[in-house]
Amino acid sequence: MAKLRKGILGGISGKIGPVVGATWKNVTYVRQHPKKKGKKRPRTAAQLANQKKFTFIQQWLVPFYPYITVGFAKLAIDQIEVNAAFSANYKTAFSGVWPDIIVDHSKILISVGDLKGLHYVEIQRIAAVKLELNWERSAVRNVSFDDQLMLVVYCPELKMTDGFIGGVKRNALKCSFDFDEQMAEHAVEVYLSVTSSDRKEIAESIYLGRLEP
């Protein structure tokens, strides 16, 4: 954009060839005339279906945001954690064509990292909204007793999660968790990961299974 303090022969107003002149607050300007936008081609059925799938996955991940922000912090390079989680799950956990999208809960990842996870984890639903975890002491080197659990309980019917990050250490070898009472009469999918106390390291999450009410 060029500024004309006194104008060309008294200033320009309106279109002249490829340029447009205008005056704003007693200052005369000239700018390129905007090009006409061509008509947008209508999207194909496949493009629309793919867009719907993207939207579906983005919305599906929303309840997991509090855990994804920790679980994908290390992987999120030049992008936000949610986008990193989207990329990690898009091709493996979601299949089919909109509107028949299939979610494989066993392949969902809520964290990705190199930290060693827990060994031989057992889980059971001991009450309507209470689960219990047990695991064995790890013989793997370079793990810290200060490493902490990240547990996520997801209810597909209600599209909601409950869980915790931290508070239970690797060397505890067991824990119990009372989750949201709204899930009492519903099946839940359970995911587990381990993070360092400073949140700089994290393990790849594991799927602990579906617990029926």
Side-chain angles (χ1 to χ4, degrees), residues 1 21 23 31 34 36 63 97 110 121 123 125 184 198 200 207:
M1 180 184 292
T23 301
R31 57 184 173 82
K36 291 184 179 179
V97 179
I110 60 168
V121 183
I123 184 172
R125 191 169 185 169
D198 61 6
K200 291 183 178 180
Y207 173 65

Side-chain angles (χ1 to χ4, degrees), residues 91-104:
K91 291 184 178 180
T92 55
F94 299 89
S95 60
V97 179
W98 175 265
D100 302 314
I101 305 296
I102 300 171
V103 183
D104 187 340

Side-chain angles (χ1 to χ4, degrees), residues 67-207:
Y67 312 100
I68 285 172
T69 53
V70 174
F72 284 88
K74 192 172 182 180
L75 194 65
I77 301 173
D78 297 329
Q79 61 180 324
I80 60 175
E81 294 84 357
V82 173
N83 289 347
F86 182 98
S87 299
N89 287 286
Y90 177 74
K91 291 184 178 180
T92 55
F94 299 89
S95 60
V97 179
W98 175 265
D100 302 314
I101 305 296
I102 300 171
V103 183
D104 187 340
H105 294 96
S106 68
K107 294 181 179 178
I108 292 291
L109 291 173
I110 60 168
S111 68
V112 173
D114 299 323
L115 188 65
K116 298 299 181 181
L118 301 184
H119 282 256
Y120 304 107
V121 183
E122 294 182 351
I123 184 172
Q124 56 180 330
R125 191 169 185 169
I126 60 176
V129 291
K130 189 182 188 71
L131 56 82
E132 186 175 81
L133 290 176
N134 293 273
W135 61 94
E136 294 185 7
R137 192 177 303 278
S138 175
V140 179
R141 295 181 179 180
N142 300 324
V143 296
S144 172
F145 70 91
D146 274 339
D147 292 341
Q148 301 173 354
L149 272 63
M150 177 166 74
L151 182 73
V152 182
V153 180
Y154 172 65
C155 179
E157 291 182 76
L158 301 178
K159 295 180 174 60
M160 65 180 294
T161 61
D162 196 6
F164 62 82
I165 304 172
V168 179
K169 295 183 179 181
R170 181 192 290 272
N171 67 343
L173 303 183
K174 65 178 181 179
C175 79
S176 61
F177 177 64
D178 297 316
F179 51 92
D180 197 301
E181 292 184 354
Q182 296 180 71
M183 305 182 191
E185 299 180 359
H186 301 279
V188 294
E189 313 285 348
V190 186
Y191 303 89
L192 178 70
S193 186
V194 181
T195 176
S196 60
S197 58
D198 61 6
R199 302 293 184 264
K200 291 183 178 180
E201 300 294 334
I202 197 160
E204 182 169 307
S205 62
I206 59 174
Y207 173 65

